[in-house]
Amino acid sequence: MSIHIVALGNEGDAFHQDNRPSGLIRTYLGRSPLVSGDESSLLLNATSTVARPVFTEYQASAFGNVKLVVHDCPVWDIFDSDWYTSRNLIGSADIIVIKYNVNDKFSFHEVKDNYIPVIKRALNSVPVIIAAVGTRQNEELPCTCPLCTSDRGSCVSTTEGIQLAKELGATYLELHSLDDFYIGKYFGGVLEYFMIQALNQKTSEKMKKRKMSNSFHGIRPPQLEQPEKMPVLKAEASHYNSDLNNLLFCCQCVDVVFYNPDLKEVAEAHKIVLCAVSHVFMLLFNVKSPADIQDSSIIRTTQDLFTISRDTAFPGARQDSPGNPPLRVVVKDALFCSCLPDILRFIYSGAFQWEELEEDIRKKVKDSGDVSSVIEKVKCILKTPGKINCLRNCKTYQARKPLWFYNTSLKFFLNKPMLADVVFEIQGTTVPAHRAILVARCEVMAAMFNGNYMEAKSVLIPVYGVSKETFLSFLEYLYTDSCCPAGIFQAMCLLICAEMYQVSRLQHICELFIITQLQSMPSRELASMNLDIVDLLKKAKFHHSDCLSTWLLHFIATNYLIFSQKPEFQDLSVEERSFVEKHRWPSNMYLKQLAEYRKYIHSRKCRCLVM
């Protein structure tokens, strides 16, 4: 079996007689792990000279035993001087590669106008790859005029390359350099895909011809059945917004209390949530200074609406508050204060349900002018420094994501001492955190901080059994509802931490990450990797990750020929070994039939049609 590739075009700036650069094809053949033993010889037609060869022929082996023949033609003159040879080469090609340098626009247009129409007529359902090689130098901004777009600048634009690919029905690639990534993984991956398709097509045609000839009437080869379908793991829906919204109603870990001008308590809240959505509250609670914000409207709103009372004889002060008492904030504006509970519900729900907020305010404030005044104050509270009227259109804004959307506002406070009221001690280092977020997002920590436990009254809390990196990833999920483990091992450590604190959705995220990583590994990587898959299975079972453990058993059974050769395979329990043997792929029955078929073929001294 052989594959014939024809490469046309010059991807370099120029070819010199004494110093000829290593081109795209030569570099790929020299670096690809699937290609070995390449040899090159110069093939000259009648009009060429030794100084300027028309074709360079490379012969190599691909995929072990497939002969690979590549004809590389850097010049296009052959289509003028020897049309017969060029037509035969294109007609016999399994794959065609057209390459050009992105900085040689004149040659590109010459090829496009004179030779591409000729190639189109000679093509016969052959896959074509167009490779744009090089980094554009002195590239000018594209012109918007439709009459001069194609002539603008000295470089071949991406649009021109894609348009050429569309004309030929080709695959377009941009290779900025001839390094391992662009050659081995990018260009090589696409080329090897088409090589496999060509092999499959040739094998299929060969099998059809043999069946038609009826030259063999013996035992039919065994049919390999498909492996069993892997269990589907469904992700758990996020309850991030509802967790933070419920924090307002549970009244746990309250660290700020709002009072009206008459010093009567109006509402309770949490500094961390308020600062996550508003620079006004950051300024009020000294998280940021006026110099940091540099916005006069935010500074003026803070001074006009709120004042902090530090009077020890405050009429509404709680005498039974353990530890540090909540901060007392007096709301100066009586109208705004009457709507404050509704405004807080609006902020805790994600600060995007503007229509509901307006309706709640209208129920308490009858005058339309007063309603507009309160709404404008809310907009100023939620304003981003330096932006003018960023929340002018509330109906448009309500369709946006919440202001503390994942990986933004609350992540600003992750592992930061600002507003922190608890410190975790892990592996000799400390990690500051905020009780309100922990209580809202984790039921185990809610019970720990509000029950009759030592942690409820302690600021420094030791953590055992997890590393600092794993615990920081766990806190990142609690703060942002997202996480990105560095690998399978880190994901398993995070899953164990999530099981310890009973955060089921994080467990599902880690399970999905591990499954996705294992599914994406090719067979040869599974065979050579150092990860102990059986140890992973036992950890999943021990930490009650039933979905992952079931999936791993199916995964071991589906890749039986790989994992059965590993020493850890012997560590499977009797029940696990029985399951794997029952669901193994390929099955014992198929291997027996295959052995009998091979024996029959050798006995008749015939060549096997399959192997």
Side-chain angles (χ1 to χ4, degrees):
M1 195 78 70
S2 64
I3 299 175
H4 183 201
I5 299 174
V6 174
L8 303 170
N10 182 6
E11 68 275 30
D13 294 330
F15 281 120
H16 301 285
Q17 180 177 352
D18 298 329
N19 184 19
R20 184 172 181 176
S22 182
L24 172 63
I25 298 300
R26 189 72 182 91
T27 305
Y28 166 75
L29 294 176
R31 295 183 180 181
S32 175
L34 301 179
V35 179
S36 61
D38 59 288
E39 301 174 355
S40 63
S41 60
L42 301 182
L43 301 183
L44 311 179
N45 69 349
T47 61
S48 64
T49 64
V50 175
R52 192 177 183 183
V54 174
F55 281 104
T56 303
E57 181 184 272
Y58 301 99
Q59 294 186 7
S61 297
F63 307 109
N65 59 352
V66 178
K67 183 179 180 181
L68 180 64
V69 180
V70 183
H71 287 94
D72 190 5
C73 176
V75 294
W76 292 90
D77 299 347
I78 188 172
F79 287 93
D80 299 324
S81 60
D82 192 351
W83 164 241
Y84 179 79
T85 300
S86 58
R87 184 184 61 182
N88 286 345
L89 280 172
I90 293 176
S92 63
D94 298 310
I95 303 169
I96 294 177
V97 178
I98 298 176
K99 43 198 172 70
Y100 63 87
N101 191 285
V102 296
N103 296 302
D104 192 355
K105 192 165 188 176
F106 176 79
S107 299
F108 173 82
H109 281 291
E110 183 182 12
V111 170
K112 180 180 178 183
D113 297 336
N114 298 332
Y115 300 112
I116 293 301
V118 178
I119 294 176
K120 286 178 66 176
R121 291 195 296 269
L123 286 178
N124 185 22
S125 302
V126 176
V128 179
I129 300 174
I130 293 181
V133 181
T135 302
R136 293 177 178 85
Q137 304 294 331
N138 301 322
E139 186 177 12
E140 299 181 27
L141 293 174
C143 179
T144 58
C145 173
L147 298 179
C148 62
T149 298
S150 61
D151 297 324
R152 182 77 173 183
S154 61
C155 302
V156 183
S157 67
T158 301
T159 304
E160 292 175 296
I162 293 174
Q163 183 62 36
L164 177 61
K166 288 182 178 178
E167 292 180 14
L168 293 175
T171 300
Y172 176 75
L173 303 176
E174 282 201 357
L175 310 176
H176 299 302
S177 63
L178 301 183
D179 58 14
D180 289 335
F181 172 77
Y182 284 103
I183 296 297
K185 295 184 179 180
Y186 194 28
F187 173 77
V190 175
L191 184 62
E192 288 158 13
Y193 169 79
F194 286 129
M195 289 166 62
I196 293 172
Q197 295 298 315
L199 284 176
N200 291 339
Q201 184 177 356
K202 289 187 174 184
T203 302
S204 177
E205 292 175 354
K206 191 174 182 180
M207 293 294 291
K208 287 180 181 178
K209 288 181 180 179
R210 291 198 176 186
K211 287 182 179 180
M212 294 295 293
S213 64
N214 293 322
S215 59
F216 183 76
H217 301 283
I219 298 177
R220 300 182 67 85
Q223 297 296 318
L224 180 61
E225 72 281 2
Q226 293 294 322
E228 292 187 13
K229 289 185 178 181
M230 302 294 285
V232 178
L233 184 62
K234 295 182 179 180
E236 183 180 334
S238 173
H239 37 79
Y240 182 69
N241 287 341
S242 61
D243 286 345
L244 295 178
N245 196 21
N246 292 336
L247 185 63
L248 180 65
F249 301 101
C250 70
C251 299
Q252 293 180 339
C253 303
V254 170
D255 54 6
V256 58
V257 180
F258 291 94
Y259 295 86
N260 63 14
D262 297 330
L263 304 184
K264 292 184 179 179
E265 184 177 322
V266 176
E268 300 173 328
H270 308 82
K271 296 178 186 177
I272 179 69
V273 177
L274 299 178
C275 291
V277 298
S278 171
H279 285 80
V280 167
F281 289 112
M282 282 189 177
L283 187 60
L284 180 66
F285 301 137
N286 295 323
V287 175
K288 288 187 176 181
S289 66
D292 296 328
I293 295 178
Q294 294 184 347
D295 190 309
S296 58
S297 63
I298 291 180
I299 298 172
R300 186 170 55 254
T301 300
T302 307
Q303 295 171 348
D304 293 345
L305 283 181
F306 307 106
T307 182
I308 295 177
S309 174
R310 305 188 185 278
D311 187 359
T312 55
F314 197 76
R318 301 179 180 181
Q319 303 299 326
D320 56 345
S321 298
N324 294 326
L327 186 68
R328 298 183 292 272
V329 177
V330 178
V331 183
K332 298 179 181 180
D333 190 319
L335 196 61
F336 182 87
C337 185
S338 65
C339 302
L340 185 60
D342 300 312
I343 295 171
L344 289 177
R345 281 196 298 270
F346 166 73
I347 290 175
Y348 274 72
S349 66
F352 66 102
Q353 299 174 352
W354 284 95
E355 289 186 348
E356 294 183 12
L357 175 64
E358 290 183 15
E359 185 177 345
D360 291 337
I361 292 176
R362 286 194 184 94
K363 292 178 181 178
K364 294 185 177 181
V365 181
K366 304 302 181 184
D367 185 82
S368 58
D370 292 338
V371 172
S372 300
S373 175
V374 174
I375 290 294
E376 287 302 318
K377 289 181 175 64
V378 175
K379 291 179 185 179
C380 194
I381 287 176
L382 301 179
K383 178 186 176 184
T384 301
K387 293 187 178 181
I388 302 174
N389 295 329
C390 62
L391 305 178
R392 178 176 294 178
N393 191 343
C394 298
K395 292 184 178 180
T396 301
Y397 188 79
Q398 69 179 350
R400 298 183 184 178
K401 298 169 183 176
L403 293 183
W404 54 47
F405 189 65
Y406 314 149
N407 301 317
T408 55
S409 301
L410 280 179
K411 192 172 184 179
F412 176 75
F413 297 94
L414 177 63
N415 196 22
K416 301 283 181 61
M418 296 176 296
L419 303 178
D421 52 5
V422 62
V423 177
F424 293 100
E425 186 179 17
I426 312 167
Q427 296 180 333
T429 60
T430 56
V431 176
H434 307 81
R435 291 176 187 258
I437 302 301
L438 305 179
V439 167
R441 300 281 288 137
C442 177
E443 293 182 0
V444 171
M445 288 195 174
M448 181 175 70
F449 288 131
N450 293 286
N452 295 322
Y453 299 100
M454 177 186 67
E455 291 83 358
K457 299 179 181 179
S458 176
V459 175
L460 186 63
I461 299 175
V463 176
Y464 306 102
V466 295
S467 66
K468 179 184 177 181
E469 290 75 14
T470 301
F471 193 74
L472 280 175
S473 297
F474 173 71
L475 290 181
E476 181 182 5
Y477 169 79
L478 296 185
Y479 277 67
T480 67
D481 203 48
S482 64
C483 66
C484 186
I488 294 178
F489 177 77
Q490 177 65 18
M492 195 67 209
C493 294
L494 188 55
L495 184 147
I496 294 172
C497 183
E499 189 266 341
M500 182 168 62
Y501 288 101
Q502 296 297 299
V503 183
S504 60
R505 184 170 181 271
L506 180 56
Q507 284 183 271
H508 285 300
I509 291 176
C510 295
E511 289 173 342
L512 282 172
F513 179 87
I514 293 171
I515 289 172
T516 303
Q517 291 292 306
L518 290 174
Q519 280 183 325
S520 64
M521 288 184 182
S523 299
R524 57 186 175 185
E525 187 174 348
L526 285 175
S528 61
M529 71 175 183
N530 295 324
L531 181 66
D532 190 339
I533 199 75
V534 177
D535 181 61
L536 204 65
L537 169 66
K538 293 187 178 299
K539 286 181 178 178
K541 281 192 171 184
F542 182 80
H543 293 282
H544 310 290
S545 183
D546 298 331
C547 295
L548 179 60
S549 60
T550 302
W551 188 91
L552 287 173
L553 273 177
H554 280 274
F555 186 69
I556 294 172
T558 303
N559 297 275
Y560 183 87
L561 296 180
I562 295 175
F563 292 116
S564 62
Q565 303 301 317
K566 292 180 175 287
E568 61 265 20
F569 186 79
Q570 306 301 324
D571 297 334
L572 289 171
S573 65
V574 176
E575 181 183 355
E576 292 165 347
R577 179 75 70 86
S578 176
F579 179 91
V580 170
E581 294 290 347
K582 181 180 178 181
H583 298 86
R584 59 174 287 181
W585 186 87
S587 64
N588 265 325
M589 180 63 69
Y590 171 80
L591 295 179
K592 289 180 181 179
Q593 292 175 352
L594 183 61
E596 292 175 0
Y597 179 74
R598 284 175 172 171
K599 184 178 180 181
Y600 174 79
I601 292 298
H602 289 299
S603 67
R604 290 180 57 90
K605 297 182 180 180
C606 298
R607 193 171 68 177
C608 175
L609 303 181
V610 177
M611 302 306 294

